[in-house]
Amino acid sequence: MTDPQSFPSPEVQTAWSGRFAEPVSDLVKRYTASVFFDQRMWRQDIRGSLAHARMLARQGIIAAADLAAIERGMATIVGEIEGGTFNWNLDDEDVHLNIEKRLTALVGDAGKRLHTGRSRNDQVATDIRLWLRDTIDVIDPLLRNLQEALLTAAETQADTPMPGFTHLQVAQPVTFGHHLLAYVEMLGRDRGRFADCRVRLNRLPLGAAALAGTTFPIDREFVARELGFDGICENSLDAVSDRDFAIEFCSAGALAMTHLSRFSEELILWMSPRVGFIDLADRFCTGSSIMPQKKNPDVPELARGKTGRVFGHLMGLLTLMKGQPLAYNKDNQEDKEPLFDTADTLVDSLRIFADMVPGIRVKPEAMAAALRQGHATATDLADYLVKKGLPFRDAHEAVARAVRACEDKACDLADLPLAELRAFSALIGEDVFAVLTVAGSLAARDHVGGTAPSQVRAAIDRARKHL
Ligand code: ARG
């Protein structure tokens, strides 16, 4: 469907126009319609309708022949939508009425019987839950793919020293592999959050009808099983009005985008010629139309930027639900575009990152050079003195004085000769140079969660087993 403004507006009979003395204006029609965005739930809508129709036939509410006609009509509609010949019509408001109307045109009265014991209120709630469940099942493997790409890169870089930063100041040596593993952890939590959201959303609202339930002898458990739900929504009012799952989804999406934006920021920083730790493959960058020398990290910059719209969607949905009285209100139609855009933004970002990570070219010399400039092993020297019996606070003080002396001489701690080092503590001996080296510093952090290359490799193995 293209521009909603371009829809013709013949005098049509809508699904509810019997009650009204005059038609809505074109503007109101366009304002209230959702078909130009909710049509993307058509598969879920048909799946839900077929399960409902099967239940109606099983319960003797509609005839077996009606069910057969509905199934035949829906198969035709699937073909039309997939083939691009389905005529989405603004006059029929939303995806539900568009499909129902076409069904009736195809199979007659059986199509009109489909809506027995159902309302669009429980229908749309069911469709969104099905759509989000399908979407989470797309997102989880994408998160896993990105974790795998990071693990592969981390394995290659398990021994590559780089400065670890706090306050964006050189703090202590870490390996680049260890740094990348931090993102594997974040993405693992994201997967947990989406899985958790899936648990709560996987309940069937259908059967709540408009808000109070229905007078027909329906079998909700049967429909739930047909649609792969773990159970039913217990309360009909809650069933049609609850959008917690949508907020949870956007919240999980906002956090996942937060992680991608942090990673983006680091990639941008690392790729800046001032830092020069990495280079990104050309296909993720663009040039400048005026400055011939430029290679800009557009993809991470855009991911960082797109995080904003996802935050906005979360805030939009929270505000949409705040203060809404029970049960269904038309406000709820506004839940879809934020959800769709959150999913689209995250899916695209995850795909592009999984492709981008293997294209990170690491420049170990630049990382090593940066490590030589920030007294990155100062903590190691303090720890060394503690092991020789000095209380930690005194050791900290002695090393701080040594660092100040280095700053005056514009050299690094590891560059001071032994005699000068001993001026800050007589406990310092020849063995100090083993701890002042980057390799010694890394190897010494040899425990679970530490940056020693052997620990990084063990962490990669554990993470692979969990994926
Ligand atoms: N298009 C509507 C939505 O997205 C479907 C439910 C409409 N129900 C109603 N009573 N108007 O929420």
Side-chain angles (χ1 to χ4, degrees):
M1 181 166 276
T2 49
D3 177 11
Q5 305 242 21
S6 69
F7 276 95
S9 154
E11 284 300 308
V12 284
Q13 209 180 331
T14 69
W16 39 259
S17 56
R19 159 79 178 74
F20 292 84
E22 58 172 4
V24 296
S25 72
D26 279 357
L27 177 58
V28 169
K29 195 183 293 176
R30 197 154 44 73
Y31 194 74
T32 54
S34 54
V35 63
F36 36 89
F37 53 81
D38 67 13
Q39 59 178 268
R40 68 185 279 178
M41 302 191 303
W42 67 268
R43 276 186 202 282
Q44 291 76 18
D45 194 67
I46 291 177
R47 221 193 296 164
S49 286
L50 287 173
H52 179 66
R54 280 179 201 129
M55 182 278 290
L56 291 177
R58 218 166 157 260
Q59 298 296 101
I61 301 168
I62 63 171
D66 286 332
L67 172 60
I70 289 169
E71 287 179 330
R72 183 161 32 82
M74 287 300 197
T76 304
I77 292 173
V78 169
E80 289 175 352
I81 299 177
E82 282 179 343
T85 59
F86 189 89
N87 179 30
W88 296 103
N89 193 342
L90 188 69
D91 288 317
D92 297 317
E93 205 175 309
D94 55 26
V95 61
H96 325 292
L97 294 178
N98 267 265
I99 289 177
E100 189 188 314
K101 183 150 185 191
R102 180 66 186 140
L103 180 70
T104 301
L106 286 166
V107 304
D109 281 355
K112 295 187 195 164
R113 294 200 173 97
L114 171 62
H115 212 51
T116 311
R118 181 177 81 165
S119 154
R120 275 186 296 154
N121 297 351
D122 57 346
Q123 185 179 357
V124 70
T126 304
D127 289 5
I128 313 169
R129 285 175 189 250
L130 287 174
W131 189 88
L132 271 183
R133 197 179 71 189
D134 290 346
T135 302
I136 289 172
D137 293 344
V138 168
I139 289 173
D140 182 70
L142 291 177
L143 284 164
R144 196 192 51 225
N145 286 351
L146 181 52
Q147 284 183 303
E148 267 163 12
L150 287 164
L151 285 173
T152 304
E155 196 162 39
T156 318
Q157 306 298 336
D159 298 283
T160 311
M162 73 178 277
F165 296 90
T166 61
H167 315 272
L168 221 47
Q169 312 280 324
V170 171
Q172 292 172 354
V174 294
T175 71
F176 189 49
H178 192 58
H179 194 110
L180 293 175
L181 288 185
Y183 287 97
V184 175
E185 293 297 309
M186 295 181 222
L187 297 172
R189 291 195 295 274
D190 291 329
R191 292 177 67 189
R193 269 183 286 271
F194 279 113
D196 189 45
C197 170
R198 195 188 190 287
V199 169
R200 261 184 304 283
L201 76 75
N202 204 28
R203 308 217 147 248
L204 175 77
L206 217 57
L211 75 165
T214 173
T215 58
F216 294 96
I218 57 172
D219 182 351
R220 299 186 65 204
E221 297 288 353
F222 171 81
V223 180
R225 279 196 302 279
E226 283 280 293
L227 293 174
F229 284 110
D230 296 325
I232 58 167
C233 299
E234 286 284 339
N235 179 284
S236 63
L237 294 160
D238 181 50
V240 289
S241 64
D242 170 41
R243 294 293 183 275
D244 289 2
F245 56 89
I247 294 172
E248 287 184 29
F249 177 85
C250 284
S251 164
L255 262 173
M257 285 302 295
T258 297
H259 297 147
L260 294 188
S261 86
R262 295 183 71 184
F263 191 37
S264 297
E265 173 67 14
E266 299 211 292
L267 292 172
I268 294 161
L269 209 62
W270 294 337
M271 199 182 134
S272 155
R274 286 298 181 102
V275 179
F277 286 0
I278 63 155
D279 200 9
L280 284 180
D282 282 358
R283 65 183 186 282
F284 301 103
C285 303
T286 62
S288 159
S289 54
I290 176 169
M291 299 167 282
Q293 85 282 14
K294 291 299 288 292
K295 177 176 166 184
N296 299 326
D298 281 30
V299 167
E301 284 176 41
L302 260 178
R304 189 176 59 179
K306 281 176 188 289
T307 305
R309 66 200 279 163
V310 173
F311 287 8
H313 297 325
L314 171 61
M315 199 44 64
L317 282 189
L318 283 165
T319 313
L320 177 73
M321 294 313 293
K322 176 193 169 296
Q324 245 198 69
L326 291 176
Y328 176 87
N329 300 280
K330 186 76 167 181
D331 312 42
N332 286 348
Q333 183 166 288
E334 286 288 306
D335 64 354
K336 286 167 208 66
E337 287 161 294
L339 276 178
F340 295 157
D341 190 69
T342 297
D344 291 344
T345 305
L346 183 60
V347 164
D348 283 351
S349 304
L350 289 171
R351 286 204 172 115
I352 213 161
F353 269 71
D355 197 15
M356 188 164 62
V357 166
I360 297 175
R361 192 170 64 78
V362 181
K363 299 177 176 170
E365 339 69 56
M367 292 181 175
L371 261 175
R372 282 191 295 273
Q373 282 167 12
H375 315 289
T377 53
T379 315
D380 298 84
L381 180 56
D383 287 354
Y384 166 91
L385 291 172
V386 168
K387 286 169 194 162
K388 300 255 170 177
L390 204 61
F392 182 78
R393 283 293 156 226
D394 295 337
H396 186 284
E397 172 68 20
V399 178
R401 279 188 286 113
V403 166
R404 243 170 56 201
C406 289
E407 290 289 305
D408 292 341
K409 301 180 66 172
C411 72
D412 200 64
L413 208 47
D415 300 330
L416 285 185
L418 182 59
E420 285 185 42
L421 278 171
R422 285 179 60 86
F424 301 101
S425 170
L427 293 169
I428 296 176
E430 192 61 61
D431 55 351
V432 73
F433 293 104
V435 310
L436 282 181
T437 62
V438 166
S441 169
L442 289 172
R445 284 163 174 77
D446 187 15
H447 55 79
V448 174
T451 193
S454 59
Q455 290 293 343
V456 171
R457 288 204 178 78
I460 293 168
D461 287 346
R462 283 195 304 276
R464 285 224 166 96
K465 282 195 193 88
H466 275 112
L467 283 195

